[in-house]
């Protein structure tokens, strides 16, 4: 029988955030594959765990992928851990997962911290819908193309950033999104000096002209204004059929109600008509 690959989340700062299940697997698995073995040894030492480790990172993922899947085929259980947080989020873990799926090898997850999600929930920005954008490229043209692609996205945007690139990134973001957009800059999450700065992009650019960035950052940026669906509209939480019903209850004919709801939402009447009648058909 094949072994299982366990994708084990580890703390992003505070060691108390490791799960009991992850620790149990570190004790019982045959091997731990780590992005940075020195860092993982520190975590294991803290909990008095001694276990064989192998490195698995961007520069050896091809050979190590073959080695790890070979072990799984022999029935060994392997834990995969990243530098910090959840493996396969902005790290080469995604390649190993794909390889296991191709080879029909069992993969499961042991959930825990993700820097992006923690920054998002602390940002004060909309968490209803968001887009995780990972790291911007170091290539100037690719970074600008990436920012151009997402500048009209109405969802909250989340980026990872290293301190030495922060100043340039804020400059490029101001140019692409405009300085008025709100941003939350989260650093040292779950650590003693955790900090979340909330300001506009222009203020952030000016602030980091004067202040040296310290630690790894997550940048959470307000989405583009969505003219078609203002979130503070009275009908924003209503599904389309309930929006139409509202006008019918106020005395409009179904045709007029569809017209009014379509006008509110900036949608074609046909779309609202179809949404209203499809639900009606399902209900009867
Ligand atoms: N797999 C990780 C996760 O689940 O969040 C992310 C790995 S990615 C290579 C590393 C990036 O995560 C950093 O550059 C930074 O943007 C973000 N990050 C990790 N730990 C953080 C922390 N304690 N505070 C703020 N950002 C952090």
């Amino acid at each position: 029988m094949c072994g299982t690959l366990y994708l084990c989340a580890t703390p992003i700062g505070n060691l108390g955030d490791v799960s009991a299940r992850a620790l149990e697997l570190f004790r019982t698995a045959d091997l731990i594959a780590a992005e940075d073995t020195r860092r993982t040894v520190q975590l294991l030492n803290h909990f008095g765990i001694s276990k064989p480790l192998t490195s698995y990172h961007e520069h050896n993922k091809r050979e190590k992928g073959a080695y790890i899947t070979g072990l799984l085929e022999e029935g060994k259980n392997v834990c995969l851990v990243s530098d910090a947080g959840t493996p396969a989020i902005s790290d080469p873990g995604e390649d190993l997962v794909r390889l296991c799926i191709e080879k029909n090898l069992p993969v499961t997850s042991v959930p825990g911290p993700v820097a992006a999600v923690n920054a998002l929930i602390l940002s004060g920005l909309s968490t209803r819908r968001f887009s995780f954008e990972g790291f911007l490229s170091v290539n100037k043209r690719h970074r600008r193309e990436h920012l151009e692609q997402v500048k009209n996205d109405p969802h909250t945007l989340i980026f990872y950033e290293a301190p030495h690139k922060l100043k340039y990134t804020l400059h490029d973001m101001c140019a692409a999104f405009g300085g008025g957009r709100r941003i939350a800059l989260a650093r040292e999450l779950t650590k003693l000096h955790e900090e979340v700065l909330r300001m506009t992009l222009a203020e952030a650019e000016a602030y980091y002209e004067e202040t040296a960035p310290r630690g790894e950052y997550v940048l959470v940026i307000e989405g583009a204004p969505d003219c078609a669906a203002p979130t503070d509209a009275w009908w924003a939480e209503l599904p389309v059929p309930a929006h139409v019903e509202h006008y019918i209850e106020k005395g409009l004919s179904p045709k007029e109600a569809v017209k009014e709801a379509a006008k509110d939402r900036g949608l074609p009447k046909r779309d609202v008509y179809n949404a209203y009648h499809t639900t009606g058909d399902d209900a009867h």
Side-chain angles (χ1 to χ4, degrees):
M1 208 171 90
C2 292
T4 297
L5 178 71
Y6 293 91
L7 306 173
C8 297
T10 55
I12 56 171
N14 190 322
L15 294 185
D17 293 335
V18 70
S19 73
R21 190 166 158 235
L23 289 178
E24 182 57 20
L25 280 159
F26 296 154
R27 288 193 185 93
T28 55
D30 296 291
L31 180 73
I32 300 174
E35 198 181 1
D36 179 345
T37 49
R38 283 165 310 176
R39 203 160 165 170
T40 305
V41 162
Q42 283 172 8
L43 175 72
L44 296 179
N45 285 346
H46 182 85
F47 290 99
I49 299 170
S50 161
K51 180 65 55 180
L53 286 166
T54 192
S55 67
Y56 176 83
H57 51 64
E58 194 55 45
H59 306 292
N60 70 4
K61 63 185 183 187
R62 197 181 281 255
E63 315 87 80
K64 282 299 177 76
Y67 170 65
I68 293 166
T69 52
L71 292 176
L72 294 168
E73 279 162 349
E74 287 170 19
K76 305 267 194 279
N77 289 320
V78 180
C79 294
L80 178 70
V81 303
S82 73
D83 242 12
T86 295
I89 298 295
S90 291
D91 74 37
E94 76 168 278
D95 296 273
L96 186 57
V97 172
R98 205 173 297 120
L99 194 61
C100 288
I101 293 167
E102 274 166 26
K103 291 178 178 280
N104 239 339
L105 292 164
V107 186
T108 190
S109 67
V110 182
V114 184
V117 171
N118 286 281
L120 174 69
I121 61 176
L122 291 171
S123 68
L125 298 171
S126 171
T127 59
R128 211 177 300 164
R129 297 184 67 183
F130 55 90
S131 173
F132 175 62
E133 298 296 325
F135 286 99
L136 285 169
S137 166
V138 284
N139 175 294
K140 222 174 179 177
R141 186 166 62 86
H142 292 162
R143 313 159 49 77
R144 292 199 173 151
E145 279 171 8
H146 186 160
L147 293 173
E148 277 302 306
Q149 259 174 26
V150 296
K151 77 173 188 193
N152 294 321
D153 190 332
H155 309 135
T156 303
L157 302 171
I158 308 173
F159 294 87
Y160 282 163
E161 194 51 286
H164 63 282
K165 290 196 288 156
L166 183 69
K167 233 169 95 168
Y168 308 104
T169 296
L170 290 173
H171 177 78
D172 288 351
M173 284 177 168
C174 265
F177 302 155
R181 278 252 204 134
R182 286 184 295 160
I183 179 172
L185 303 104
R187 66 178 194 97
E188 305 281 90
L189 288 171
T190 75
K191 301 184 194 176
L192 192 61
H193 299 292
E194 173 176 292
E195 181 180 57
V196 184
L197 296 177
R198 301 171 185 89
M199 48 181 80
T200 64
L201 268 173
E203 285 164 348
E205 190 185 14
Y207 180 81
Y208 283 104
E209 282 297 331
E210 303 295 324
T211 315
R214 296 182 70 167
E216 300 292 294
Y217 283 78
V218 183
L219 309 178
V220 187
I221 298 160
E222 180 179 33
D226 183 358
C227 304
T231 50
D232 57 351
W234 63 265
W235 46 264
E237 301 285 342
L238 289 184
V240 171
H243 192 168
V244 175
E245 288 292 350
H246 166 87
Y247 282 120
I248 292 172
E249 276 162 25
K250 290 213 157 236
L252 298 191
S253 70
K255 196 174 162 192
E256 288 165 327
V258 165
K259 192 172 154 194
E260 279 310 302
K263 201 161 78 187
D264 286 345
R265 289 174 183 256
L267 289 175
K269 270 186 290 182
R270 174 176 295 276
D271 290 0
V272 173
Y273 177 91
N274 286 343
Y276 178 61
H277 283 279
T278 308
T279 311
D281 291 348
D282 286 344
H284 296 296

